[in-house]
Amino acid sequence: MPDTPIKTEILIHDLKVPISVIDAGAKSLLNRQDAYGPLTDKQIKVLKRIIRNTLTSQRLVNDVLELGRSREGVMNYSDFTVSSLVRAVLVEVFDLADPNAAEIIRKVQDYDELLGAVRQVGVKLKFTKATWESVVRQDAAKVRQILRNLATNALKHRVEQIEIQGNLKERRLVLRVRDDGRGIAPSDHQKIFKTYFTTGGSIENAICSHGLGLAGVMVLLKDMGGDMALESDRGKGAEFIVKIPV
Ligand SMILES: Nc1ncnc2c1ncn2[C@@H]1O[C@H](COP(=O)(O)OP(=O)(O)OP(=O)(O)O)[C@@H](O)[C@H]1O
Ligand SMILES: [Mg+2]
C-alpha cells in the first residue's frame, strides 16, 4: 500500500486545526475572565494543564511532519546563530517543564546573564563566545528538534543538572548534552535508538515515554549527514554527542 504514509501524514497535519481551537478556547477562558466569567484556582489549574498538553500535542504533530519531510529529503536551509538555536530550545523545553523559567530565558539577552538564569533551573551551558555568536547554515527546525529531544531526555533523567556544550569544528556543529542520571547500560546503547524502545517499566513511564524521540533524531541526522554517539554506563549519567554538518 504505497500511499499509506501520505494519508497518515495528512491526518496528522489535519490535527493542527482542532488542537489550535482547543488551545485558543482554553486561553480565552484563562485570559479573558472579564468576558467569560471569573475562575476558581482549581479551574485555572485545569486550564493551564490543558494548555500545556495542547503545546505537547502541537510539538508531536510538528515533529512527525518534520520527520516526514526528512524522509522525503526536503531541506529548508537558513542562517541562524548558535545562540538563537540554544535559546529557542531552552524556551521550548521550559515552556512545559517550568513556564516561569521559560519567561526569564525569553527576556534575558546577555550570555552571562542567561548562564546564571538557567543555572538556577539545573542547566549548565558551556559555549565559547565565538561559538555562541557564530552564524551557521542548516535546516533550523531539524537542528532544534534534535537538541530539544536530547535536552528533554536529559532533564527527564537527571538527578540535579544537565550540561549543554557546543563547538564548531571543521564545518561541523558538535553538540553535547550530558546529565547526571541513572545512565544507560551498554547492552541498551543500540536499542534506545530504535522506535518505541523505552527502558522504563511502570504505567506512568508508558504514558510519558513514547520511545520516538531518539529514533526521530537518528532520522533527522541521517538526512543531514550527521551522526550521534553515546557515552554512558548504568548509574553514571549519559552524554549524547551529535555532529551536524553546517
Ligand atoms: N539521558 C538519558 N538517560 C537515561 N536514559 C535515557 C536517556 N535518554 C534516553 N534514555 C532511554 O532511552 C529511551 C528512548 O528515548 P527516546 O527519547 O527515544 O524516548 P522517550 O524519551 O522514552 O519518549 P519520547 O518519544 O517522548 O522521546 C528512553 O525511554 C530511556 O529509557
Ligand atoms: Mg525522549
Side-chain angles (χ1 to χ4, degrees):
M1 285 203 288
D3 60 343
T4 308
I6 296 175
K7 276 188 188 153
T8 315
E9 277 174 13
I10 290 174
L11 198 90
I12 290 167
H13 178 268
D14 289 352
L15 282 173
K16 279 188 170 187
V17 176
I19 295 171
S20 307
V21 174
I22 297 168
D23 187 51
K27 281 179 181 155
S28 301
L29 290 175
L30 192 64
N31 301 326
R32 305 242 1 249
Q33 294 186 41
D34 53 331
Y36 293 96
L39 298 168
T40 64
D41 285 350
K42 278 186 182 163
Q43 288 168 333
I44 289 174
K45 217 168 135 187
V46 172
L47 284 171
K48 284 190 173 164
R49 199 185 309 141
I50 291 173
I51 292 165
R52 270 203 310 278
N53 279 281
T54 53
L55 190 60
T56 307
S57 311
Q58 281 165 335
R59 293 255 170 84
L60 283 169
V61 167
N62 286 331
D63 283 6
V64 172
L65 293 175
E66 195 59 57
L67 287 182
R69 280 193 283 272
S70 266
R71 287 199 189 91
E72 300 286 320
V74 179
M75 299 298 286
N76 192 359
Y77 292 109
S78 66
D79 292 330
F80 56 91
T81 57
V82 171
S83 68
S84 68
L85 161 77
V86 176
R87 189 184 284 278
V89 168
L90 288 172
V91 167
E92 283 181 353
V93 168
F94 280 102
D95 262 342
L96 291 173
D98 183 347
N100 292 332
E103 205 45 48
I104 294 168
I105 296 165
R106 258 195 201 92
K107 279 188 196 139
V108 172
Q109 285 304 320
D110 176 64
Y111 177 69
D112 288 326
E113 232 178 291
L114 182 69
L115 215 68
V118 296
R119 199 73 199 252
Q120 305 277 323
V121 286
V123 179
K124 199 168 153 191
L125 294 178
K126 269 180 128 173
F127 289 81
T128 62
K129 191 169 158 38
T131 304
W132 188 248
E133 288 168 359
S134 289
V135 177
V136 294
R137 190 169 180 77
Q138 225 337 325
D139 189 320
K142 293 190 174 83
V143 181
R144 259 203 325 267
Q145 188 168 333
I146 291 169
L147 185 58
R148 169 158 48 77
N149 268 295
L150 297 180
T152 306
N153 282 350
L155 283 168
K156 213 192 286 184
H157 296 287
R158 72 165 169 187
V159 174
E160 274 175 1
Q161 67 163 17
I162 75 164
E163 190 177 291
I164 303 175
Q165 194 188 344
N167 259 308
L168 276 165
K169 218 164 136 188
E170 290 152 10
R171 307 194 61 150
R172 279 172 161 236
L173 176 61
V174 182
L175 296 167
R176 293 166 175 266
V177 181
R178 191 161 79 180
D179 67 71
D180 56 359
R182 58 163 196 212
I184 301 163
S187 58
D188 282 338
H189 281 204
Q190 292 302 317
K191 293 184 203 155
I192 57 164
F193 298 116
K194 295 217 167 74
T195 317
Y196 303 128
F197 177 83
T198 66
T199 53
S202 71
I203 289 180
E204 192 183 45
N205 277 339
I207 293 169
C208 52
S209 284
H210 303 96
L212 285 174
L214 289 174
V217 168
M218 292 306 270
V219 172
L220 295 169
L221 279 170
K222 197 172 157 208
D223 188 42
M224 294 191 286
D227 56 55
M228 173 153 62
L230 165 62
E231 284 174 18
S232 177
D233 204 350
R234 205 193 287 278
K236 290 190 181 148
E239 181 172 34
F240 287 85
I241 305 143
V242 292
K243 294 183 182 160
I244 304 167
V246 288

